């Protein structure tokens, strides 16, 4: 996902949701989020910095996450992001909407074999 | 509140830019570092790890950019960048920028000037509470729609109406003030008690009239105007309760009213020195239901009531009164209009014409600058192609070009506003009375905001086509050395602009030409009398001289004798009756004595009435057509005689000979014999007279002035004097002679009749001046425009001309080619312009006099002028085309 393509809002929104979910599990810094996303999706989603950081800035601007500088395990400084209450609410809502959508799509795809 | 949060973060982003960027930089470097470590841990060597991580991340700067694009403050920054870039670009081509900015200054400046006039005249608020609820009330009958109303009718209207919160009446009054220093004739009003309640004006101190003071026999009281109070009474705090002698009677001062109360057309004298109760005005004729002499109605509508409802209600009441009093009120109706319409209705057509003309000028200026931009765009195709190749999208380039245009427009507009301030004041100093209400031009915040909006809008308007056309270069062609990209489209656009310019200019020239002919006609028009060397002034008779009709008549004769004694006076006359060209009208109803009396009052004729001295016709230079003028034998002992004008003779007597016939004037109850016919005088004005409703005129000798009208004579008497001596020299002698007749006699409003006649044309002359200026600006702009386009075309075709000349074509061919191109543009523009002018010129009809709006001679002359001038403009570039050195042309680039 290149940063400057006119990403469809679906794709961009999905990334935001995935980042929120990742941070719901535990606060993380940028690289950690990228790695986690790749791991959990078993390599399907490979987020590069050009997409990740604009998304993080947007989520920060909208008050869904907050960032703070902390010292890492390696004794270096990194910016960790945490989910806010608002972020949690939004994640819940987005997750529910997504599930509704995918159920509907799945139904249509199944139906096309016999009922359409 | 995500919106608020976004705004706040944006602002923080604007101001904390450096810190944010440093943070992001640190974050990205940390990201890179972690990635490298991960890869090393996964088994890559250090260099391979670093390279792999770098490739994954991409460019740190690019990422920082993408992150920076989030948030609205980045848009602001890029716009600001564009503004600074635009400034640089404009500075780099000074000649282009100067011409463009000057053109825009002319266009926007002219518009600002007109805005200030419109603002002052049409938008100027009437200084009373809720002014749109105020209405003026006039009477109507077969002879007119803005007649005065009669006092008894007014009283009944007050009682019966249902749509007015308050209904008041007023008339102008003049009061001779004596006993408080120098005698002076004050101009003021007589008003009904609720007059100030209508306007919702509070006195500065003291009080206004009570209802019981507003009737005959009540103790005389007066309210002073603030201006008089300051001027003659030194703003004395204890003025209330003191006594002032007006017209010989002591009046108690009960209050002082603020300066702003003025109801008449703002260009005339304010009439706000003093106010007395209308109900105490005592001439017998005033209480006559059938007589209306200068009284007007003023009312405030009840909340929620519309003008239509008020009109309907008053029409019903008028109908009822007509049935109840058929003798006086048959055919008498009521005309109600908003106060604003009453005050400014007449000048609206002129102002509208000015607005339209100035709009055309601005369009022409836009077309010119658009052409300049199109021409300039050909030299910038490389720049745009490069930017496009580097990734700027089309919208960005268009936005940047529009910012350039708007910047030019604002700079030009600022210059224009300055020009407007200076220019408008100078024009108005030449014609101070041309537009009533405008003596001082003020550029206020409203106008500046309008001009700024206009500048921005103009910038977008003229910048759009060039911007869009410039931003879509064929990249491949444009990046080649010789940029011919988009040429055909641009040429078409330029030609279109030129044709439009020429068309619009032609329309303005036609309008100006028509106005010139109209004005010339007016200046040469015969007003029906000879105004040269005629001096007029008003005066009042003191109560002693006005105490009886006989005394009034004697006073007139005595004044004439005194005036005749003034050195340098060739002839003189006193006149009772409105002065021609003064806006006032005195008219009486009459019928032929040898025909049966018309039963229906609306079947009676009406004519303008003048009671004059024996030398009146000689003084005014009114020609005697037939019969005789008045002599010293036509006095109170002789037979009643009159003179009529040709208009009356024609209308009432058709082919019969009026001389010897008798006329019955209703108000006098007397048969009067016609002894002479004189030429018609254009009483209502050079233009207005032709369409006025009462045009016929009759004159009686003032020595035979009827008793019933003599008391009104005490109000204002006109004196005319024919003398070649200057007014400065005459006035002292006049004052001296008048003083010897009566020491309290004062002169009011001394004017020369030729000034009065000339001033009546001030509106037309002002329009012509302004229109002429606009037409001239338009012509200059169009010439510059055509010159620019033809020059540009010649430059573009330099190689072609060089080749032709090298191959032996005669120079004349090239010349004709270029001239032909320019001429074709001009002709096309002229044709379109003529067509538009013919379509639209009907709108000018109301402003023209004696010339038809589609006058072929004017249109032809103007077209020829335009073609000749444009041909001249093309000549220079055409000649330059013929002097192209073929070698240089072929070698170029």
């Amino acid at each position: 996902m290149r940063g400057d393509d006119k990403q469809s809002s679906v794709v961009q929104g999905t990334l935001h949701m995935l980042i929120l979910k990742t941070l719901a599990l535990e606060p993380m810094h940028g690289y950690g989020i990228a790695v986690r996303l790749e791991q959990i999706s078993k390599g399907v989603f490979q987020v590069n910095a050009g997409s990740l950081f604009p998304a993080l800035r947007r989520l920060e601007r909208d008050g869904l996450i907050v960032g703070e500088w902390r010292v890492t395990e390696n004794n270096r400084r990194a910016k960790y992001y945490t989910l806010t209450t608002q972020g949690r609410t939004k994640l819940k809502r987005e997750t529910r909407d997504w599930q509704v959508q995918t159920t509907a799509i799945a139904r249509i795809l199944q139906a096309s074999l016999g009922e359409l | 509140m995500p919106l608020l949060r976004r705004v706040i973060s944006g602002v923080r982003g604007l101001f904390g830019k450096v810190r944010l960027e440093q943070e992001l930089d640190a974050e990205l470097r940390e990201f890179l570092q972690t990635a490298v470590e991960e890869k090393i841990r996964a088994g890559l060597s250090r260099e391979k790890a670093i390279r792999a991580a770098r490739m994954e991340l991409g460019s740190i700067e690019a990422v920082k950019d993408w992150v920076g694009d989030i948030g609205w403050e980045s848009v602001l920054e890029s716009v600001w960048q564009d503004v600074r870039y635009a400034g640089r670009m404009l500075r780099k081509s000074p000649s282009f920028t100067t011409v463009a900015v000057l053109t825009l200054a002319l266009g926007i400046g002219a518009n600002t000037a007109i805005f200030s006039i419109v603002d002052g005249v049409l938008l100027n608020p009437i200084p009373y509470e809720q002014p749109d609820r105020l209405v003026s009330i006039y009477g109507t009958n077969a002879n007119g729609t803005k007649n005065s109303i009669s006092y008894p009718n007014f009283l009944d209207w007050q009682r019966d109406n249902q749509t007015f919160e308050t209904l008041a009446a007023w008339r102008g009054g003049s009061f001779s003030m004596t006993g408080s220093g120098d005698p002076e004739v004050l101009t003021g009003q007589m008003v009904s008690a609720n007059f100030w309640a209508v306007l919702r004006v509070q006195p500065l101190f003291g009080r206004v009239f009570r209802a019981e003071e507003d009737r005959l026999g009540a103790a005389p009281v007066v309210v002073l105007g603030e201006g008089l109070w300051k001027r003659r009474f030194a703003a004395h705090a204890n003025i209330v309760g003191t006594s002032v002698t007006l017209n010989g009677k002591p009046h108690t001062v009960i209050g002082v009213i603020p300066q702003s109360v003025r109801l008449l057309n703002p260009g005339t004298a304010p009439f706000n020195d003093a106010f007395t109760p209308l109900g105490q005005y005592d001439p017998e004729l005033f209480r006559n239901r059938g007589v209306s002499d200068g009284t007007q109605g003023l009312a405030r509508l009840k909340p929620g009531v519309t003008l239509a409802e008020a009109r309907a209600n008053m029409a019903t009441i008028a109908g009822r009164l007509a049935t109840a009093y058929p003798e006086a009120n048959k055919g008498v109706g009521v005309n109600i209009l908003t106060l604003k319409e009453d005050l400014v209705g007449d000048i609206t057509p002129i102002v509208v014409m000015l607005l339209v003309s100035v709009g055309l000028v601005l369009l022409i200026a836009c077309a010119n600058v658009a052409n300049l931009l199109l021409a300039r765009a050909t030299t910038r195709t490389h720049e745009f192609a490069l930017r496009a190749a580097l990734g700027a999208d089309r919208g960005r380039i268009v936005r940047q070009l529009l910012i350039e245009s708007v910047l030019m427009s604002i700079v030009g507009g600022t210059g224009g506003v300055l020009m407007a301030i200076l220019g408008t004041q100078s024009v108005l100093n030449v014609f101070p009375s041309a537009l009533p209400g405008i003596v001082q031009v003020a550029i206020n915040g409203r106008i500046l905001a309008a001009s700024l909006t206009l500048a921005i809008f103009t910038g977008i308007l003229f910048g759009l086509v060039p911007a869009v056309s410039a931003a879509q270069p064929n990249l491949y062609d444009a990046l080649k050395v010789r940029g011919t990209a988009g040429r055909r489209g641009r040429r078409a656009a330029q030609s279109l602009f030129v044709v439009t310019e020429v068309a619009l200019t032609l329309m303005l020239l036609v309008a100006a030409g028509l106005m010139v002919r109209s004005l010339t006609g007016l200046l040469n028009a015969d007003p029906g009398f000879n105004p040269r060397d005629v001096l007029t002034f008003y005066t009042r008779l003191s109560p002693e001289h006005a105490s009886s009709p006989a005394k009034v008549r004697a006073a007139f004769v005595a004044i004439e004798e005194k005036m005749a004694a003034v050195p340098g006076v060739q002839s003189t006359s006193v006149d009772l009756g409105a002065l021609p060209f003064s806006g006032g009208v005195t008219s009486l109803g009459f019928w032929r004595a040898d025909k049966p009396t018309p039963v229906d009052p609306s079947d009676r004729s009406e004519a303008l009435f003048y009671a004059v001295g024996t030398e009146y016709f000689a003084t005014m230079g009114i020609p005697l057509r037939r019969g005789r003028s008045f002599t010293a034998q036509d006095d109170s002992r002789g037979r009643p005689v009159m003179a009529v004008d040709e208009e009356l003779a024609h209308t009432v007597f058709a082919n019969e000979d009026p001389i010897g016939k008798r006329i019955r004037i209703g108000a006098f109850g007397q048969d009067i014999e016609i002894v002479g016919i004189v030429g018609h005088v254009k009483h209502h004005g050079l233009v207005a007279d032709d369409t006025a409703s009462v045009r016929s005129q009759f004159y009686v000798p003032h020595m035979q002035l009827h008793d019933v009208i003599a008391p009104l004579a005490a109000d204002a008497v006109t004196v005319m004097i024919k003398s070649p001596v200057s007014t400065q020299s005459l006035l002292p002698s006049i004052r001296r002679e008048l003083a010897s007749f009566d020491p309290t006699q004062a002169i009011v409003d001394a004017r020369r009749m030729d000034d009065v006649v000339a001033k009546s044309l001030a509106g037309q002359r002002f329009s012509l001046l302004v229109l002429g200026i606009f037409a001239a600006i338009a012509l200059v702009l169009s010439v510059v425009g055509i010159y620019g386009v033809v020059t540009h075309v010649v430059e573009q075709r330099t190689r072609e001309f060089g080749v032709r000349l090298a191959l032996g074509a005669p120079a004349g061919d090239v010349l004709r080619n270029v001239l032909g191109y320019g001429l074709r543009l001009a002709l096309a523009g002229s044709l379109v312009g003529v067509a538009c002018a013919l379509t639209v010129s009907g709108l000018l009809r109301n402003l023209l006099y004696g010339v038809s709006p589609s006058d072929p001679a004017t249109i032809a002359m103007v077209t020829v002028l335009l073609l000749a001038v444009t041909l001249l403009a093309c000549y220079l570039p055409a000649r330059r085309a013929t002097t192209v050195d073929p070698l240089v042309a072929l070698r170029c680039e």
Side-chain angles (χ1 to χ4, degrees), chain B residues 340-520:
Chain B
K340 174 128 170 226
E341 159 89 29
D342 193 21
L343 291 180
V344 301
D346 288 335
I347 32 171
T348 310
I350 293 185
V351 175
V352 168
M353 179 206 67
L354 291 179
L355 269 176
V356 169
S357 316
V358 88
L360 292 183
V361 170
L362 186 63
L363 281 178
I364 295 176
C366 283
N368 253 4
V369 181
N371 268 345
L372 283 174
L373 282 175
L374 280 173
R376 188 154 161 267
T378 56
T379 60
R380 289 176 76 182
T381 45
H382 291 196
E383 174 196 335
F384 299 137
L386 209 60
R387 290 183 68 178
L390 287 176
D393 66 5
R394 194 158 148 211
R396 184 71 201 272
I397 297 184
V398 170
R399 187 182 83 184
Q400 196 262 312
L401 287 176
L402 281 181
I403 288 180
E404 258 184 54
S405 310
V406 171
L407 188 62
M408 263 195 293
S409 208
I410 293 182
V411 171
T414 314
V417 168
L418 289 171
M419 285 199 308
I421 298 179
L422 295 168
T424 321
Q425 195 58 52
S426 350
V427 169
L428 284 176
N429 286 340
V430 176
F431 293 115
S433 59
L435 286 182
I438 301 293
V439 174
Q440 188 68 40
V441 171
I443 306 277
N444 58 31
R446 218 173 14 234
I447 296 173
L448 281 178
S451 296
L452 181 65
T453 318
L454 185 68
I456 295 177
F457 181 70
T458 306
I460 297 179
L461 180 68
F462 72 73
L464 199 58
V465 170
V468 168
S469 96
Q472 58 172 352
N474 179 322
L475 284 189
Y476 180 62
D477 279 342
L479 283 171
K480 286 200 298 210
V481 176
R482 210 177 339 122
T484 60
R487 192 153 40 120
R488 202 159 297 153
R490 267 201 291 279
R491 183 94 64 83
Q494 283 181 317
S495 306
L496 184 66
F497 286 144
V498 168
V499 166
T500 315
E501 277 187 275
V502 172
L504 293 176
T505 305
L506 191 79
M507 286 170 67
L508 280 174
L509 284 173
V510 166
L514 288 174
M515 291 291 286
V516 166
R517 294 200 52 177
S518 173
L519 191 62
T520 320

Side-chain angles (χ1 to χ4, degrees), chain B residues 849-868:
Chain B
Y849 175 80
V851 59
S852 139
S854 43
D855 180 45
T858 312
I859 296 184
M861 257 191 334
V862 156
T863 313
V864 167
L865 171 72
L866 187 62
L867 287 175

Side-chain angles (χ1 to χ4, degrees), chain B residues 541-548 551 742:
Chain B
L541 295 182
S542 63
E544 180 209 326
H545 288 292
S547 53
S548 78
K551 284 231 171 92
D742 181 334

Side-chain angles (χ1 to χ4, degrees), chain A residues 6-105:
Chain A
K6 275 278 190 299
Q7 290 178 331
S8 69
S9 52
V10 173
V11 180
Q12 201 183 53
T14 314
L15 179 59
H16 287 186
M17 184 177 67
L18 296 178
I19 294 175
L20 287 178
K21 175 64 182 181
T22 313
L23 292 178
L25 303 174
E26 60 170 326
M28 247 181 253
H29 57 66
Y31 188 77
I33 299 174
V35 165
R36 181 64 63 86
L37 279 175
E38 190 177 337
Q39 275 178 353
I40 297 191
S41 68
K42 299 224 189 328
V44 173
F45 287 138
Q46 288 167 341
V47 190
N48 63 13
S51 318
L52 181 65
F53 282 96
L56 286 173
R57 173 63 68 90
R58 166 96 356 109
L59 288 170
E60 238 189 323
R61 279 287 170 95
D62 289 346
L64 302 175
I65 63 181
V66 283
E68 60 172 344
W69 286 90
R70 287 195 212 158
V71 181
T72 67
E73 314 87 48
N74 310 339
N75 235 345
R76 285 206 303 271
R77 289 187 71 239
K79 193 169 181 189
Y80 278 76
Y81 294 95
T82 325
L83 201 58
T84 62
T85 330
Q86 227 177 316
R88 229 169 266 281
T89 318
K90 180 116 178 148
L91 175 61
K92 235 184 268 176
R93 197 170 353 116
E94 295 267 295
T95 314
R96 193 183 48 226
D97 289 348
W98 177 262
Q99 280 167 347
V100 167
Q101 279 182 10
T102 44
T103 317
I105 294 174

Side-chain angles (χ1 to χ4, degrees), chain B residues 838-876:
Chain B
L838 286 173
T839 322
V840 177
S841 62
L843 298 172
L844 276 180
R845 204 179 298 272
N846 293 337
L847 298 166
L848 294 177
Y849 175 80
V851 59
S852 139
S854 43
D855 180 45
T858 312
I859 296 184
M861 257 191 334
V862 156
T863 313
V864 167
L865 171 72
L866 187 62
L867 287 175
V869 170
T870 49
L871 210 63
L872 226 80
C874 297
Y875 184 68
L876 221 65

Side-chain angles (χ1 to χ4, degrees), chain B residues 636-847:
Chain B
S636 42
R637 292 170 308 209
R639 256 187 8 251
V641 294
M642 70 154 53
V644 301
D645 80 324
E646 296 166 302
E647 182 69 25
L648 193 152
H650 177 75
T651 326
V652 176
F653 294 96
N655 295 324
E656 303 171 50
D657 183 6
I659 308 235
K661 301 246 182 342
R662 289 179 149 68
I663 292 264
R664 175 102 162 170
I665 296 186
F668 298 170
Q670 196 183 42
D671 286 357
I672 310 181
E673 182 185 335
I674 300 178
V675 296
I677 304 180
V678 293
H680 173 72
V681 170
K682 289 191 194 248
H683 181 101
H684 300 276
L686 286 172
V687 180
D689 194 71
D690 290 339
T691 51
S693 31
V694 181
R695 301 182 64 224
S696 310
Q697 296 158 335
F698 47 29
Y699 304 81
V700 302
H702 60 58
M703 286 192 285
Q704 295 182 345
L705 187 65
H706 196 275
D707 286 1
V708 80
I709 213 172
L712 289 175
D715 264 348
V717 170
T718 316
V719 179
M720 13 258 296
I721 292 178
K722 188 167 178 83
S723 166
V725 179
S726 77
T727 315
Q728 309 289 70
S729 329
L730 273 182
L731 280 182
S733 323
I734 294 178
R735 288 207 178 90
R736 209 179 39 236
E737 290 294 332
L738 273 184
S740 73
F741 165 72
D742 181 334
T744 67
Q745 211 72 27
I747 296 182
V748 179
D749 234 3
R751 293 182 288 175
R752 286 253 162 212
M753 277 313 280
D754 37 22
D755 278 345
V756 172
V757 172
K759 247 195 215 144
S760 75
L761 294 179
Q764 269 87 356
R765 285 156 95 203
F766 177 78
S767 305
L768 177 61
L769 182 65
V770 175
L771 198 52
I773 292 177
F774 289 168
I777 293 179
L779 189 59
V780 166
L781 288 178
S782 290
V783 164
V784 168
I786 283 200
Y787 174 82
V789 167
V790 174
T791 306
H792 179 69
V793 163
V794 164
E795 271 170 25
Q796 293 286 302
R797 296 174 65 185
T798 306
R799 288 186 84 243
E800 178 196 331
F801 292 142
V803 169
R804 285 204 190 180
L805 289 172
L807 289 179
D813 271 6
V814 172
L815 190 76
R816 261 202 303 279
N817 186 308
V818 176
L819 281 181
Y821 173 69
L823 196 62
R824 272 200 304 279
L825 286 180
L827 263 176
S830 304
L831 280 173
V832 175
V834 168
C836 290
L838 286 173
T839 322
V840 177
S841 62
L843 298 172
L844 276 180
R845 204 179 298 272
N846 293 337
L847 298 166

Side-chain angles (χ1 to χ4, degrees), chain B residues 75-91:
Chain B
V75 176
L76 227 73
E77 277 171 9
S78 72
V79 167
W80 178 239
Q81 253 182 355
D82 282 349
V83 170
R84 288 169 55 203
Y85 183 72
R88 271 205 308 279
M89 281 290 109
L90 290 178
R91 269 198 299 277

Side-chain angles (χ1 to χ4, degrees), chain A residues 2-4 29-31 34-35 47-58 60-63 69 72 74 76-79 81 86, chain B residues 1-2 5-6 9-10 13 20 23-24 26-28 30-31 33-39 56-57 63 66-73:
Chain A
R2 269 197 75 219
D4 74 338
H29 57 66
Y31 188 77
V35 165
V47 190
N48 63 13
S51 318
L52 181 65
F53 282 96
L56 286 173
R57 173 63 68 90
R58 166 96 356 109
E60 238 189 323
R61 279 287 170 95
D62 289 346
W69 286 90
T72 67
N74 310 339
R76 285 206 303 271
R77 289 187 71 239
K79 193 169 181 189
Y81 294 95
Q86 227 177 316
Chain B
M1 257 187 293
R5 182 173 296 116
R6 282 217 194 110
S9 343
L20 274 180
E23 268 197 25
L24 184 59
E27 199 179 345
L28 287 171
E30 167 59 30
F31 185 91
Q33 203 56 29
T34 320
V36 169
E37 283 170 10
E38 279 296 301
K39 294 205 187 319
E56 265 181 21
L57 176 65
V63 175
W66 291 325
V67 174
D69 279 349
I70 309 287
W72 56 266
E73 74 273 16

